Amino acid sequence: MTVIYPSPIFGPVHSRRLGVSLGINLLPEDGKVCSFDCIYCECGFNADHRAKKPLPTREEVRTALEARLRDMQQNGPKPDVLTFAGNGEPTAHPHFPEIIEDTLALRDKYFPNAKVSVLSNSTFIHRPAVFDALNKIDNNILKLDTVDEEYIRTVDRPNAHYSLAEIIEHMKAFKGNCIIQTMFMKGSYQGKDVDNTSDKYVLPWLEAVKEINPRQVMIYTIDRETPDHDLCKATHEELDRIATLIKETGIPVSVSY
């Protein structure tokens, strides 16, 4: 079943990786807006969920977030994290940097111990204002599914200019203030093998991760139903093998099976 999230605030949900997470969705509540069109996305394919409603405004996000945080302060639960996620790529919002400023101020006011996280596909980190905003938050979680550009065009399916070399250079510019998130999976898509758990994919990816030198790597596999039904989870053994290779570099790793 495809998941389309309410906007601008949803949850809290219990995240496999982040704990009690209050979601912030900067995309329309009636569809999906993303610079990728991943074949494994829980929100489905872009073409199947064209949004008709506008993006929430900065003011709408701030007002809704403050109301929800005030309610959680009075009635619980206490959030571990405020997570920018939802129906597409949050950094695509034209006022993403300003919304981050508002969110940090509200976090400090209501739940100063909560973290602010952004789940991003990394396609807008070349924009200085987006880069600066991501540098201010607690968990700057950036997608890097592989360093094989053909694989990315098959699986992540960027719908605008995409240069893997540029993305990696911008990731390195965070100087360790980022978390790399990678989806490992198996199966096929339109007759093409999309298993990225073998050394052919893992070893070059590991070299790039070492260059980026993030403070953590999150590896995970398919959890919810995907729009393409020929995809399979990576096994516990495959994920553990990859995690061991990361640990050997000295970079902390978390695994979500």
Side-chain angles (χ1 to χ4, degrees):
M1 191 186 83
T2 296
V3 184
I4 295 293
Y5 292 94
S7 181
I9 307 299
F10 63 94
V13 297
H14 191 81
S15 161
R16 283 190 292 173
R17 285 159 287 174
L18 303 169
V20 177
S21 170
L22 183 66
I24 304 169
N25 176 18
L26 301 186
L27 291 313
E29 63 185 0
D30 66 335
K32 186 181 168 203
V33 179
C34 197
S35 49
F36 274 1
D37 195 9
C38 298
I39 62 175
Y40 58 76
C41 182
E42 65 185 30
C43 297
F45 292 128
N46 294 356
D48 297 337
H49 302 282
R50 294 281 182 222
K52 295 182 177 62
K53 293 186 178 180
L55 300 173
T57 65
R58 174 186 180 181
E59 189 57 33
E60 284 168 346
V61 175
R62 194 188 64 74
T63 301
L65 179 59
E66 179 152 33
R68 192 74 184 89
L69 291 175
R70 196 181 290 130
D71 176 67
M72 291 173 86
Q73 192 179 56
Q74 290 165 358
N75 304 305
K78 189 165 77 171
D80 296 309
V81 62
L82 313 178
T83 306
F84 286 81
N87 307 334
E89 175 53 35
T91 65
H93 193 291
H95 296 292
F96 173 77
E98 296 88 346
I99 291 168
I100 288 291
E101 294 290 340
D102 295 343
T103 302
L104 290 170
L106 290 171
R107 183 275 307 272
D108 292 347
K109 179 177 178 182
Y110 290 99
F111 292 102
N113 293 329
K115 306 288 190 207
V116 173
S117 299
V118 175
L119 300 174
S120 172
N121 67 18
S122 315
T123 52
F124 294 105
I125 60 174
H126 64 280
R127 295 180 176 174
V130 169
F131 182 91
D132 291 345
L134 290 171
N135 238 335
K136 292 173 185 166
I137 61 169
D138 301 285
N139 297 315
N140 165 26
I141 303 172
L142 303 175
K143 174 177 291 302
L144 184 67
D145 283 343
T146 169
V147 293
D148 183 303
E149 198 145 332
E150 185 185 350
Y151 184 96
I152 285 175
R153 295 196 184 282
T154 300
V155 171
D156 296 337
R157 305 196 304 166
N159 49 38
H161 167 76
Y162 184 86
S163 163
L164 192 58
E166 288 172 19
I167 296 269
I168 290 170
E169 284 307 306
H170 289 298
M171 287 177 166
K172 283 157 66 173
F174 282 107
K175 296 185 168 31
N177 186 31
C178 65
I179 296 169
I180 296 297
Q181 175 180 259
T182 301
M183 163 69 80
F184 287 102
M185 63 179 186
K186 302 163 78 161
S188 62
Y189 177 67
Q190 295 182 345
K192 283 189 180 174
D193 180 18
V194 295
D195 181 344
N196 65 336
T197 64
S198 68
D199 282 350
K200 174 189 172 188
Y201 291 103
V202 172
L203 296 182
W205 167 84
L206 190 64
E207 289 307 308
V209 168
K210 288 196 291 195
E211 280 186 36
I212 296 161
N213 194 27
R215 61 184 176 83
Q216 186 187 351
V217 175
M218 292 178 168
I219 64 172
Y220 68 128
T221 191
I222 294 163
D223 184 39
R224 300 188 175 101
E225 188 175 339
T226 59
D228 185 272
H229 297 296
D230 294 326
L231 307 178
C232 317
K233 288 171 85 85
T235 66
H236 281 38
E237 291 75 18
E238 285 159 337
L239 292 174
D240 286 343
R241 181 185 86 88
I242 296 164
T244 299
L245 292 172
I246 300 164
K247 280 180 196 152
E248 286 169 356
T249 71
I251 298 169
V253 60
S254 68
V255 186
S256 300
Y257 299 104

